[in-house]
Amino acid sequence: MYLIKPSDGDSGAKSIKRAKKANPKHNEEISSDSETESSAVPKKRQPSEEIEYEETPQEKKLRLAKLYLEQLKEEEEKRAEEESFESDLIAGRLQEEVVRNLIAPDASEIRVLRGHKLPVTCLVITPDDKCIFSAAKDCSIVKWDVESGKKLHTIPGGRKGTEDRHVGHTAHILCMAMSSDGKYLATGDMNKLIMIWEAETCKHLYKFTGHKGPVSGLSFRKGTHDLYSASHDRSVKVWNVDENAYVETLFGHQDAITGLDSLSRERCVTAGGRDRTVRVWKIAEESQLVFYGHEGSIDCIQLINEEHMITGADDGSVCLWSVNKKKPLSTVKQAHGCHGDAGLEQPHWVASVAALQNSDTVASGSHNSQVQLWKCSQNYRGLEPLFSVPVSGFVNSLKFSSSGQFLVAGVGQEHRLGRWWRLKDAKNGIYIIPLKRKPPTQEEVND
């Protein structure tokens, strides 16, 4: 783990370039393309020396008052973050009770929802666990009712070249995120665009532009409407959805970013694809932590809690990390087995990972016809297999419900990031997997 802070002479991977611009409110489209242009001041216009002047008592009073207000604001933000962290720890203890004694469901209990014509690439579950939003390579977004399995709303995809008149995506959708209050849905596509929707009505609100490559990761900071986005252009951007505004850009990765996640703290984590790094971005401190562990492209990442995260890679491994250690706490190689002729075996790529927030239960998906559930051992020192669930196809997205009552898998005939090969027997759809538990023993009841 390396702590990187920008200095005047830093460049490339050793700095975070931050660019800010005025926040235009309620425009139809927000761009960050020219974020660095407005901040550049020609040298000839800069004063050669600073003009010194004496501070009047009134100016000193005003300056000290501003300083005091800033300190109060910082203390308030710090206290709010600590309270949020404490509530997450309490939620974690409750979740541990929920996930105890998990057992594999019967194949007949798994429900499959079909509605996308092409491979499902991403999904989210609403905070109340009543609805699922899914998106696919057919550029469409579908809102599903969990209980009935019926479609509540479909936002159709458009054909390439119809961007000017089509409300929605006209390129493969790669990622999506929902705000923790269920108000906003954000979706990102191969066409470098981020769309913001009103989740309740599926009404289109804004379009964010500025990324120079496919948008591959999105996450709302918990408890806020701040949105983090990641792209194949190697950058992370920060947006304020309430204000329909671009905030800043962060640089550091040396290859396409393939995944992103965040929780309550003002930070996010990213998977850097073939640069083989995982990064923790401390937004307020203007710094990043760099982690190394996988031997292949890191394709997916998710936070378990504020201190631990899980990643998967095309080298077939699943890694468990602490944000305080530069190497993984645990690595499971060939987590989904191998395929190929004898002597030429290749591990099944890990295409998706998920964590039941603030618990010890995680899941990983590949294309070996199984979703694997894992239990983190005490103090997150290792990963122990719990059971596997039969799912045919590329498991491109996994999400646990907030209650821990079910797991949802977004499945397709192809990998979400490319078309390396196709599994013809697979079905493009949503798999709802119930999470069953053993009945408590008499001793546990007595306890």
Side-chain angles (χ1 to χ4, degrees), residues 17-24 30-32 35-36 38 208-209 225-229 236-250 266 283:
K17 299 176 185 174
R18 302 164 64 86
K20 301 193 177 184
K21 63 187 267 187
N23 289 349
I30 293 297
S31 171
S32 69
E35 63 262 19
T36 54
S38 59
F208 291 164
T209 66
H225 293 145
D226 294 339
L227 178 67
Y228 303 124
S229 64
V236 173
K237 290 186 186 290
V238 184
W239 314 83
N240 184 314
V241 175
D242 276 334
E243 299 292 329
N244 186 19
Y246 159 77
V247 180
E248 59 188 332
T249 300
L250 315 174
E266 194 177 355
I283 312 294

Side-chain angles (χ1 to χ4, degrees), residues 118-178:
L118 292 177
V120 177
T121 53
C122 52
L123 60 88
V124 292
I125 306 170
T126 55
D128 60 10
D129 289 351
K130 291 183 178 178
C131 299
I132 298 167
F133 284 89
S134 61
K137 289 188 177 183
D138 58 19
C139 314
S140 70
I141 301 167
V142 178
K143 183 179 183 180
W144 307 85
D145 179 75
V146 171
E147 191 174 344
S148 67
K150 291 181 180 178
K151 288 183 185 179
L152 297 176
H153 196 102
T154 300
I155 303 170
R159 291 193 308 275
K160 188 177 180 181
T162 63
E163 292 84 3
D164 293 339
R165 57 185 183 274
H166 178 73
V167 178
H169 292 278
T170 59
H172 296 175
I173 302 170
L174 297 181
C175 53
M176 65 193 331
M178 177 167 280

Side-chain angles (χ1 to χ4, degrees), residues 292-309:
Y292 295 91
H294 288 283
E295 295 173 0
S297 175
I298 310 172
D299 291 343
C300 46
I301 186 167
Q302 184 151 18
L303 284 159
I304 303 169
N305 53 40
E306 296 284 11
E307 301 295 325
H308 299 92
M309 54 191 169

Side-chain angles (χ1 to χ4, degrees), residues 124-297:
V124 292
I125 306 170
T126 55
D128 60 10
D129 289 351
K130 291 183 178 178
C131 299
I132 298 167
F133 284 89
S134 61
K137 289 188 177 183
D138 58 19
C139 314
S140 70
I141 301 167
V142 178
K143 183 179 183 180
W144 307 85
D145 179 75
V146 171
E147 191 174 344
S148 67
K150 291 181 180 178
K151 288 183 185 179
L152 297 176
H153 196 102
T154 300
I155 303 170
R159 291 193 308 275
K160 188 177 180 181
T162 63
E163 292 84 3
D164 293 339
R165 57 185 183 274
H166 178 73
V167 178
H169 292 278
T170 59
H172 296 175
I173 302 170
L174 297 181
C175 53
M176 65 193 331
M178 177 167 280
S179 58
S180 55
D181 61 0
K183 183 177 181 180
Y184 294 118
L185 175 74
T187 51
D189 70 14
M190 288 284 289
N191 214 20
K192 314 170 192 175
L193 297 177
I194 298 168
M195 303 276 189
I196 306 296
W197 312 84
E198 186 178 70
E200 180 64 30
T201 61
C202 295
K203 177 188 173 185
H204 182 264
L205 298 176
Y206 315 128
K207 182 192 293 183
F208 291 164
T209 66
H211 276 298
K212 295 176 173 61
V215 180
S216 51
L218 288 168
S219 181
F220 280 94
R221 182 184 172 197
K222 199 173 173 184
T224 76
H225 293 145
D226 294 339
L227 178 67
Y228 303 124
S229 64
S231 168
H232 288 190
D233 66 10
R234 309 179 185 186
S235 76
V236 173
K237 290 186 186 290
V238 184
W239 314 83
N240 184 314
V241 175
D242 276 334
E243 299 292 329
N244 186 19
Y246 159 77
V247 180
E248 59 188 332
T249 300
L250 315 174
F251 292 102
H253 276 293
Q254 300 301 295
D255 193 51
I257 303 175
T258 53
L260 174 147
D261 195 25
S262 67
L263 287 176
S264 301
R265 289 182 176 175
E266 194 177 355
R267 58 171 64 177
C268 61
V269 298
T270 52
R274 299 212 168 274
D275 77 2
R276 301 182 183 181
T277 70
V278 169
R279 297 185 186 229
V280 176
W281 304 82
K282 296 184 176 183
I283 312 294
E285 290 94 331
E286 303 186 25
S287 64
Q288 58 183 288
L289 306 175
V290 186
F291 303 76
Y292 295 91
H294 288 283
E295 295 173 0
S297 175

Side-chain angles (χ1 to χ4, degrees), residues 304-371:
I304 303 169
N305 53 40
E306 296 284 11
E307 301 295 325
H308 299 92
M309 54 191 169
I310 188 93
T311 56
D314 71 1
D315 60 9
S317 65
V318 172
C319 286
L320 177 63
W321 308 77
S322 163
V323 297
N324 300 313
K325 293 187 181 294
K326 66 179 181 180
K327 296 291 183 185
L329 297 174
S330 177
T331 300
V332 180
K333 294 190 175 182
Q334 299 177 12
H336 286 260
C338 294
H339 63 101
D341 298 330
L344 298 171
E345 296 95 344
Q346 292 291 320
H348 286 104
W349 300 353
V350 179
S352 56
V353 290
L356 180 54
Q357 230 74 76
N358 301 304
S359 80
D360 60 358
T361 304
V362 296
S364 59
S366 183
H367 55 98
N368 67 324
S369 301
Q370 289 183 337
V371 169

